[in-house]
Amino acid sequence: ERFKKDVPHLNMDFALFRKIVDELVSHNVYSVRLSWRGEPTLNRHFMDCVRYAKQNGIKEVDSLTNALRLTPEMFAELVDLQMDWLTISFDGTGETYEEIRKPAKFDEMVAKISEYAEIKKRKKSSKPVVRIQGVWPAIAENPEVYFDTFEPIADEVSVNNLLDYL
């Protein structure tokens, strides 16, 4: 709650985003990340931002999401747009995940990520590279379950230390 109160979080206006991308392209900037300490799919222009960046000269577009709002249809479009990287925050397994990422349900989210893998396979695409990323305290009791769950359905699986950004 303190983080939400103390750290500003707003959605970027799409016109401003286009202006920034145009400037980045004119300066030969290679890569943009559509997220930073917030859920990018809450921005109603998220897909427009990916599309605009990829179609206007940004070579590498990536994002970090909890995937709650990322539908299979949206993911299929990300494949078509050749988004480069998609990191999905997935902290823990089973009840631990559900407690941390409430209202998400573990089995439903694993099934959704499996569907993403099938979409990539059906479209014969390696993009976006899907990285599952969690924090160590959430998997410390049984890391094998975490890795065994995601290695068959993701391109990369990683775990980070928990950082206190306050």
Side-chain angles (χ1 to χ4, degrees):
E1 292 305 315
R2 183 171 161 226
F3 184 85
K4 287 190 235 178
K5 182 173 122 326
D6 292 349
V7 178
H9 49 284
L10 301 168
N11 281 317
M12 183 180 288
D13 177 72
F14 187 54
L16 176 59
F17 178 81
R18 288 191 316 257
K19 181 180 180 204
I20 291 169
V21 166
D22 293 345
E23 187 170 326
L24 294 173
V25 169
S26 74
H27 287 88
N28 298 314
V29 172
Y30 179 84
S31 178
V32 296
R33 179 172 233 191
L34 302 174
S35 58
W36 180 249
R37 300 293 159 231
E39 176 53 45
T41 61
L42 290 175
N43 186 316
R44 62 189 171 108
H45 297 292
F46 173 73
M47 297 300 293
D48 298 324
C49 290
V50 174
R51 187 178 308 104
Y52 191 83
K54 287 302 284 186
Q55 292 175 349
N56 287 279
I58 298 294
K59 305 273 188 277
E60 184 178 270
V61 177
D62 82 270
S63 192
L64 172 67
T65 178
N66 61 28
L68 281 170
R69 294 175 45 94
L70 186 66
T71 66
E73 295 77 20
M74 290 168 71
F75 185 83
E77 185 175 352
L78 295 177
V79 172
D80 293 342
L81 292 169
Q82 290 291 281
M83 181 182 199
D84 299 279
W85 295 87
L86 183 68
T87 301
I88 300 173
S89 296
F90 212 105
D91 300 311
T93 58
E95 291 178 3
T96 301
Y97 170 78
E98 291 178 2
E99 184 178 310
I100 293 170
R101 293 288 175 178
K102 192 174 189 173
K105 299 295 180 201
F106 178 77
D107 291 335
E108 291 172 11
M109 293 303 291
V110 170
K112 186 188 273 193
I113 294 167
S114 292
E115 189 171 355
Y116 298 164
E118 287 302 315
I119 291 167
K120 281 177 56 175
K121 186 177 181 180
R122 186 172 63 247
K123 290 179 173 278
K124 297 179 171 78
S125 180
S126 61
K127 291 183 180 182
V129 174
V130 175
R131 176 189 300 125
I132 302 298
Q133 179 175 281
V135 292
W136 177 253
I139 71 158
E141 288 183 24
N142 200 342
E144 294 82 15
V145 171
Y146 186 81
F147 285 94
D148 289 347
T149 299
F150 294 112
E151 284 178 344
I153 59 174
D155 300 300
E156 296 181 5
V157 182
S158 67
V159 180
N160 298 319
N161 293 324
L162 182 60
L163 300 175
D164 182 356
Y165 286 97
L166 294 174

